[in-house]
Amino acid sequence: MKKTVVCLQCPFACKVDVELSEAGEILSVSGNRCQRGDSYARQEVIAPVRVLTTTVRIDSEDREHPLLSVMTSGAIPKARLGEAMRTLASVRVKAPVEYGEVVYEDLLGTGVNVIATSSIRK
Amino acid sequence: MSGIIKRNVDVAVIGGGPAGLGAAIKARECGADKVLLIERAEELGGVLPQCIHNGFGLHYFKEELSGPAYAYKMIEKLNTSGVEVMLKTMVIDLTEEKKITAVNEQGIMEIDAKAVILCMGCRERPRGAIRIPGDRPAGVFTAGAAQRMINIEGHLPGKKILILGSGDIGMIMARRMTLEGAEVKAVVELMPFIGGLIRNEIQCLRDFDIPVYVSHTITSIKGKDRIESITIAEIDSKRKIIEGTEKEFEVDTLLLSVGLIPENELSRKAGVKLHPITGGPLVDNLWQTNVSGIFAGGNVVHVHDLADYVTESSEFAAENACKYIRGGLKEGEEIPVSCQDNIRYVVPNRIRKNGEDVVMFMRVTQPAEKVEIRVGDIYSRKLDFARPSEQIRIDLPGELIKKCDSGLIVRCVPQEDKNNGGEG
């Protein structure tokens, strides 16, 4: 079985073909111009991951700015993005928050934290 | 009631987004004494605070940041730079003599600046401008307005979404709405190709199995108080509807991502001439407009791919604004720059032959592979691929430009096997 992945590591955006056995093992990788494309394609086909950027609610009286923008400290499995969003929907953060502060630890047991990407004053 | 407040500054920067922030900081770094940054919103950052996704800062800060993070870092630099900031201040007039009239809660101000840098960014093209037929119910938003609602105000604009336009903002909103629990039924695109970056095509559309219909347009919106359904149809190469290709989607919301238009009301007031294709000021290689001492940077000139490029362009403008104030701008004979073949536009529109190096930016009209960009007959570069969503940058050494007598025409043509136009 063949899967085609577009590598996003550089502007070439190589279309990399990955041949898989019936059991899902990688047999061959082709179409990449460099080694980064090879590793990227393997990861994408076996266990695609994504960094999640979203917002979490702030516990405060400031109705005009009720949200804090956040980002995961690393990539999490693409298949679990929905679950991650539902988990973060019930998180409430208290002001003040510093840029870079961890606002949620170990998202879905992945070891990845959720980090504030802006600052909120009290 | 107090009278009009009068001020004098060296450099006035209009707009406090990634362009204005870059210009103001750079103006101080270049030695300008009084630098004033005027912003109409309550906070600095322009559109960045609502751009909670990644893709910012890779070039400028060598880190992958979200929009708010990029703004945060720029504002941190600004705070130690000695720039004076006026928030919640609206510039309502600008003259050729570089006199700014601005209004805020303190009253009316008249600011005389030795140089002005225009950094007002863009507005989104609305429904009325493209005349989508049908009823006019609630539920039609521009993508950026919806982005602000979700990411800053905390409201979900709708539950079943159709998006018109496959530019980056449309694709990014497709992902955002899906992550927040809405159902994005389709992205509809007029052109035969997707308008934004490949990275977004994959991570915003393919990741969520959102269908894309290229070469399609909306033929009608139906609904009384709120949108009930939207019909699309395929178009031919002459943009005529192909009969029998209509598809109807039951949705309650339409997001429009159909173009960013540089905001140049103030530029016009100052007598600044605008480019017919970009909608931004006509500038020379110093990013100076036709009005002496009025410079422009960022998306107000042309839409850039990344915020990093926006900041870089406004820094160019600021460096030159400072040279202008010190009387150090090297004048020179001007030659016009134009484009043809597969080049949609080129910036700058004229170049001064003063021996200085020139940076040019351009976009192709259609995606193409194995092409050659030719600048007159003084420079050429081969590219494996060229896409409308990826701006092309060409650096021209000053000595090459000295060889030009008449204008420069920039072209994008297929590579020839026996071509001998190597790198300039």
Side-chain angles (χ1 to χ4, degrees), chain A residues 42-63:
Chain A
R42 284 173 194 270
Q43 172 88 61
E44 255 311 271
V45 160
I46 300 289
V49 291
R50 297 285 184 266
V51 168
L52 175 65
T53 53
T54 183
T55 50
V56 293
R57 288 222 171 240
I58 302 168
D59 222 350
S60 99
E61 280 141 28
D62 183 355
R63 296 287 217 77

Side-chain angles (χ1 to χ4, degrees), chain B residues 112-123:
Chain B
D112 274 300
K114 294 189 186 144
V116 175
I117 309 178
L118 305 172
C119 296
M120 293 89 73
C122 290
R123 283 195 184 277

Side-chain angles (χ1 to χ4, degrees), chain B residues 251-317:
Chain B
V251 291
D252 56 31
T253 305
L254 173 64
L255 296 192
L256 300 177
S257 164
V258 294
L260 292 175
I261 304 165
E263 180 171 354
N264 281 287
E265 293 300 319
L266 288 176
S267 316
R268 284 194 202 96
K269 286 188 178 209
V272 168
K273 298 208 184 95
L274 304 182
H275 190 305
I277 306 269
T278 62
L282 290 165
V283 291
D284 62 17
N285 56 300
L286 306 171
W287 298 76
Q288 183 169 216
T289 66
N290 59 297
V291 176
S292 175
I294 298 186
F295 296 78
N299 282 357
V300 82
V301 181
H302 77 109
V303 179
H304 295 66
D305 296 351
L306 305 174
D308 304 53
Y309 299 157
V310 158
T311 303
E312 185 188 30
S313 97
S314 65
E315 287 180 342
F316 283 151

